[in-house]
Amino acid sequence: MQGYRTIHLQLQGFSDAEFQKLDSILALAEARMDYLWALSNSADADVVLVPDISLRPEGDLRPCIYYMKSGENTADHMDQGPGVWSLIVDEHQVPHLWQLTKVFNAVAESICQASETVAVDKDIEDAPSVFSEISEDVERVVEKEVEPEKTVAQIASSDTDQAANNTAPKASDPLLLDLLQPRADAGTDAVFRVCFESGDCFSADLDRDLYFSPQPIETMATCFAQCSAFEVRAVSPHTLDIEADEIEGGGQPLSHLRWYIALMSPSLDLQDQLADKTVKLKRWPDLGLPGCTPLIRLAAFMQSNEASVMTVAEKTEIPVDKVCAFLNACAQEDLVILGDQEAIHEKPVAADFKSLLSRISDRINAE
């Protein structure tokens, strides 16, 4: 974060629940922001945000951000004039972190450039007071930057209504999972630490696509399953490198962490989403993924058969909630194929499983 000023954002046309949700998302994105942002109900705010461009206050010359649904024709939004930005949201009217960060940084840069232009034209006698204010603010920022670790967001367990805009089956993602998605523009704030109320922590480096944890990630299963509240803390890359040297095995692929969070997170809503669909795996998931080994039998059936979620549960004798959780995790790896017609092999699952174990045994003995 490089700016010393706070940019105030007025929300118009949003409910209290939407206000609170956006406030949580904004706090989560703060680590990647170039400037501080704060929500406001005041008409004196720097920027106004509306859920639709038609709700932009008439005659309001302030910069305006408006929601644009994913998939809308962008050509319809080309002539909105200067000082207007569109922010793509999913079907639940929720912006993704990388998109929100990109747009808000662009708006902030525009505002601050305009402010600098105005400042140049001010009388020189105003300079002492202006620089005094800047100096005080810069001192506060410097104090924040030298802190070894700063909490940049506190996320409650209720802030978990994120949904992906993919064709693959996917349960509503907790904000934690969205936070860990790869982004091309993660920038200098790509390194951070996530700490749960239980005291469990892990660190993530989006640039290197790695996560670091002194304990096996499986020890945090309860945190993921309960969508526990957590804090996001800024960590310098240098600090993380020092800590990584003391972690046995070093960093692990971030995709493994995303898989495990999806596997442990509530996902029964997939049962309703896929009520009239069949599912099948494109290929086996990596057996090295955390929590995958106990699901070998389920993976064997779904790789060889195409069936509904209920049929998969019935044939494998695995509870529906575990089938949905496995599907949710496999969707993170882009392994799921949707269909509309079942194709079940007559060979019992037990036989498939025994055949699999036999092939694995043969391969081990051959080596």
Side-chain angles (χ1 to χ4, degrees):
M1 187 174 298
Q2 65 189 29
Y4 60 80
R5 66 165 293 177
T6 297
I7 297 176
H8 297 276
L9 177 69
Q10 181 187 14
L11 271 59
Q12 290 200 0
F14 292 89
S15 66
D16 290 342
E18 290 171 326
F19 185 101
Q20 294 300 324
K21 179 175 292 186
L22 184 61
D23 192 33
S24 294
I25 296 174
L26 194 58
L28 196 59
E30 184 176 309
R32 299 175 188 83
M33 293 292 194
D34 292 337
Y35 295 86
L36 292 171
W37 285 76
L39 298 187
S40 170
N41 290 318
S42 172
D44 294 329
D46 303 294
V47 185
V48 60
L49 174 68
V50 292
D52 187 271
I53 187 59
S54 63
L55 298 177
R56 183 187 186 188
E58 187 175 353
D60 194 331
L61 300 180
R62 291 176 297 169
C64 176
I65 304 172
Y66 70 94
Y67 281 176
M68 182 175 76
K69 292 182 180 178
S70 178
E72 281 191 24
N73 187 353
T74 54
D76 296 337
H77 299 265
M78 295 297 290
D79 300 321
Q80 301 301 339
V84 180
W85 287 262
S86 61
L87 176 60
I88 296 176
V89 296
D90 62 20
E91 66 270 24
H92 297 274
Q93 291 288 87
V94 176
H96 288 286
L97 286 175
W98 71 269
Q99 176 74 13
L100 182 144
T101 302
K102 180 179 179 181
V103 172
F104 277 43
N105 280 342
V107 175
E109 189 64 28
S110 175
I111 291 173
C112 291
Q113 285 179 357
S115 298
E116 290 171 3
T117 302
V118 172
V120 170
D121 295 331
K122 289 177 67 69
D123 292 335
I124 192 65
E125 63 187 16
D126 293 334
S129 62
V130 172
F131 284 110
S132 175
E133 293 173 7
I134 293 176
S135 177
E136 292 174 2
D137 286 330
V138 169
E139 287 177 5
R140 285 194 291 270
V141 172
V142 170
E143 289 175 359
K144 287 167 49 178
E145 291 297 325
V146 299
E147 291 176 1
E149 193 166 304
K150 174 187 177 295
T151 300
V152 295
Q154 294 181 329
I155 309 301
S157 57
S158 59
D159 297 325
T160 56
D161 191 20
Q162 278 283 71
N165 196 19
N166 299 331
T167 55
K170 208 152 190 287
S172 295
D173 287 343
L175 286 175
L176 176 58
L177 195 54
D178 194 44
L179 174 68
L180 298 171
Q181 294 301 323
R183 288 180 294 280
D185 57 350
T188 57
D189 295 307
V191 180
F192 52 87
R193 195 187 322 279
V194 172
C195 296
F196 295 96
E197 293 176 325
S198 62
D200 294 307
C201 292
F202 66 83
S203 300
D205 186 331
L206 299 185
D207 283 340
R208 290 187 287 175
D209 202 30
L210 296 174
Y211 79 90
F212 302 83
S213 175
Q215 292 87 30
I217 205 65
E218 289 89 341
T219 61
M220 303 182 200
T222 301
C223 299
F224 302 143
Q226 297 178 352
C227 296
S228 301
F230 63 91
E231 292 182 348
V232 180
R233 300 176 181 174
V235 180
S236 72
H238 177 67
T239 299
L240 184 58
D241 286 341
I242 294 174
E243 294 177 355
D245 290 339
E246 301 176 359
I247 295 177
E248 185 177 354
Q252 301 297 319
L254 205 48
S255 60
H256 288 195
L257 178 58
R258 291 192 292 266
W259 156 280
Y260 193 65
I261 293 173
L263 184 66
M264 293 294 104
S265 299
S267 53
L268 267 177
D269 55 336
L270 283 180
Q271 184 178 350
D272 295 330
Q273 291 182 32
L274 302 176
D276 58 347
K277 298 290 184 181
T278 57
V279 292
K280 178 179 171 66
L281 294 186
K282 296 178 183 178
R283 56 177 174 80
W284 275 76
D286 181 355
L287 295 182
L289 290 167
C292 187
T293 303
L295 300 169
I296 289 178
R297 184 177 183 183
L298 179 58
F301 178 84
M302 293 185 64
Q303 200 271 333
S304 302
N305 301 277
E306 182 174 348
S308 67
V309 171
M310 295 302 296
T311 299
V312 171
E314 178 185 346
K315 294 290 187 181
T316 61
E317 299 181 349
I318 293 175
V320 173
D321 62 331
K322 291 190 178 298
V323 173
C324 289
F326 181 66
L327 275 171
N328 194 28
C330 286
Q332 290 292 321
E333 297 288 300
D334 192 27
L335 298 178
V336 182
I337 301 173
L338 298 182
D340 52 22
Q341 187 172 358
E342 291 192 336
I344 308 294
H345 295 296
E346 293 299 323
K347 186 165 58 173
V349 175
D352 264 340
F353 188 51
K354 288 179 181 178
S355 175
L356 167 68
L357 293 180
S358 176
R359 292 198 302 273
I360 293 175
S361 178
D362 291 343
R363 182 177 299 177
I364 293 174
N365 291 333
E367 295 175 354

